[in-house]
Amino acid sequence: MKKNFYKIAVLPGDGIGPEVVGEAVNVLQTVAETAGFHIETNYADVGGVALDKFDEPLPAKTLELCKSSDAVLLGAIGAPQYDTLPSHKRPERGLLGLREGLGLFANLRPAKVYPSLVQASSVKKELIEGIDIFIVRELTGGIYFGKPRGFDDQNGGRGFNTMMYDKNEVERIARVAFDAAQKRSKKVTSVDKANVLEVSQFWRKIVLQVAGDYPDVQLNHMYVDNCAMQLIRWPKQFDVILTGNLFGDILSDEASMLTGSLGMLPSASVGSETAMYEPVHGSAPDITGQNIANPIATIASIAMMLKYSFDRNKEAEAIETAINRILLKGYRTKDIASDGTQVVSTKEMGKLVSEQVHLLLSK
Ligand code: IPM
Ligand code: MG
């Protein structure tokens, strides 16, 4: 039996975070009212706003709230005024702390091209039409978390980090990728730097072992530099991309540009506890407060929440269809506008999608 009451922790964060999250929560409210379930939203601070108020990027009560919720919706994190602070006092620490604290080891970043948006990409139309890539990025290990890390003062000083993966970490993320591939085109490309790094050679070995349990899924390995090139050369060759934390960070930004705008891409971070949903884009301080940010990535993250955390596929699809229809009608936020389209604000875009979702679900 599906639940009909969900507690959502809402963390708007910095920059355009509150604007895009506002629209996404409205869409979720519309879905809940129309589909007949209830949501309770509880707001908390993380990132720069939390540093301003509490002098720490992830207050304990924010993490507690997330742990006691059914899902977390995050806006964006980061603001230029903190760029010179030590890492533990930076807004990004808040996001990394959430990932670690909630055990969110798998980051799922789908990159699909909406048919009406092929013009918005800087890559040729025929190369990107119909692409449907699913990036599975390891999120709580690798060089982001490896120890030792830090600075020392020897020989004029140095900074260092450690890229490290153990068997369990590679195995569980590989399983997420193979499970996803089984429901899709049954192809996994594992991306590493095994021609140089031992950590990657180990990664390959474990991925190969896991592949043995999925005889119906085709596996290939690719070096990360080649993958970065292939994504632009022939993106249609990819189905599921399985990769580590740092490579996944870079490749998912690259993949987003195939789809036209970073403002379009949702993501889910899942693990053993409460899952977290957030747009792939950052806090965009240059356009904050202007009501021009694209809320679609965050709204599409709500669709992922409905699907992965609440097992509500019908409602998730309604959101995706609604976004598609609004784009087909020619409505665009500034980042994806082109000749002959109608530019709308953040709020207008949110309202248009909400109305469309209501229509679709009340049928
Ligand atoms: C992302 C972001 C984060 C990351 C930053 C904000 C810490 O770039 O989610 O891709 O590097 O993981
Ligand atoms: Mg990134």
Side-chain angles (χ1 to χ4, degrees):
M1 255 269 290
K2 277 188 194 117
K3 293 195 352 173
N4 66 2
F5 173 74
Y6 305 97
K7 271 182 76 178
I8 321 273
V10 184
L11 318 180
D14 303 322
I16 57 169
E19 296 169 62
V20 292
V21 158
E23 298 316 309
V25 169
N26 287 343
V27 171
L28 179 59
Q29 283 289 6
T30 304
V31 171
E33 278 160 27
T34 323
F37 62 89
H38 301 281
I39 56 162
E40 176 189 303
T41 49
N42 298 294
Y43 287 73
D45 295 310
V46 66
V49 282
L51 276 166
D52 289 346
K53 284 193 202 162
F54 310 105
D55 201 33
E56 48 186 340
L58 178 59
K61 64 174 186 198
T62 297
L63 185 58
E64 279 317 305
L65 172 70
C66 294
K67 284 188 174 169
S68 65
S69 301
D70 295 301
V72 181
L73 177 67
L74 178 84
I77 274 182
Q81 67 264 38
Y82 305 101
D83 277 357
T84 50
L85 293 180
S87 4
H88 69 281
K89 280 265 153 65
R90 293 184 57 140
E92 288 79 4
R93 231 345 90 192
L95 179 56
L96 298 170
L98 278 172
R99 290 173 181 170
E100 192 178 22
L102 296 170
L104 305 172
F105 66 86
N107 187 215
L108 315 176
R109 297 188 162 181
K112 259 196 232 178
V113 175
Y114 288 90
S116 49
L117 274 190
V118 278
Q119 311 295 356
S121 176
S122 39
V123 178
K124 280 189 212 131
K125 188 173 164 211
E126 56 273 25
L127 288 179
I128 55 161
E129 246 163 2
I131 63 158
D132 182 359
I133 302 173
F134 195 75
I135 299 182
V136 176
R137 166 189 177 194
E138 200 288 327
L139 204 58
T140 50
I143 198 164
Y144 273 54
F145 291 92
K147 290 193 177 111
R149 63 184 298 159
F151 302 99
D152 67 36
D153 296 330
Q154 284 164 29
N155 306 320
R158 57 178 188 169
F160 52 93
N161 291 87
T162 304
M163 196 189 272
M164 189 159 58
Y165 274 114
D166 66 29
K167 183 165 184 255
N168 171 47
E169 287 173 320
V170 183
E171 219 175 78
R172 65 186 182 182
I173 193 70
R175 288 201 186 280
V176 171
F178 281 97
D179 286 338
Q182 272 185 331
K183 296 187 196 127
R184 299 169 43 95
S185 304
K186 301 193 166 44
K187 187 174 169 194
V188 170
T189 302
S190 172
V191 177
D192 61 39
K193 189 68 187 172
N195 49 346
V196 178
L197 305 175
E198 282 80 2
V199 58
S200 286
Q201 290 157 15
F202 180 76
W203 173 281
R204 249 183 212 218
K205 184 176 116 184
I206 305 300
V207 169
L208 257 175
Q209 282 172 10
V210 172
D213 294 339
Y214 298 84
D216 54 330
V217 176
Q218 182 199 336
L219 167 69
N220 70 321
H221 302 277
M222 201 177 269
Y223 299 138
V224 62
D225 49 348
N226 184 26
C227 180
M229 184 268 279
Q230 296 292 344
L231 271 171
I232 302 296
R233 191 184 78 91
W234 181 34
K236 280 181 213 171
Q237 72 186 283
F238 295 106
D239 175 22
V240 174
I241 292 180
L242 159 65
T243 191
N245 209 340
L246 180 62
F247 300 156
D249 179 44
I250 299 166
L251 295 176
S252 57
D253 267 29
E254 189 188 356
S256 77
M257 277 328 280
L258 298 172
T259 73
S261 169
L262 199 49
M264 300 296 296
L265 287 205
S267 83
S269 301
V270 303
S272 40
E273 294 185 54
T274 314
M276 182 164 84
Y277 300 84
E278 59 175 311
V280 169
H281 63 69
S283 56
D286 52 323
I287 59 162
T288 297
Q290 298 177 32
N291 193 23
I292 58 172
N294 186 348
I296 292 181
T298 319
I299 295 172
S301 301
I302 294 285
M304 292 189 87
M305 179 190 290
L306 288 162
K307 183 168 166 188
Y308 291 103
S309 284
F310 306 158
D311 194 21
R312 289 185 173 269
N313 285 315
K314 181 172 151 232
E315 289 84 357
E317 269 163 34
I319 292 182
E320 278 159 17
T321 308
I323 293 171
N324 225 336
R325 287 202 184 163
I326 294 304
L327 293 173
L328 277 171
K329 287 180 192 230
Y331 296 109
R332 305 279 189 276
T333 41
K334 211 174 153 197
D335 57 313
I336 49 174
S338 56
D339 285 352
T341 58
Q342 190 182 334
V343 177
V344 296
S345 68
T346 309
K347 285 196 159 71
E348 284 163 338
M349 181 57 92
K351 191 159 176 266
L352 284 164
V353 176
S354 265
E355 285 166 359
Q356 198 59 233
V357 163
H358 178 73
L359 268 176
L360 283 160
L361 286 174
S362 43
K363 270 185 193 149

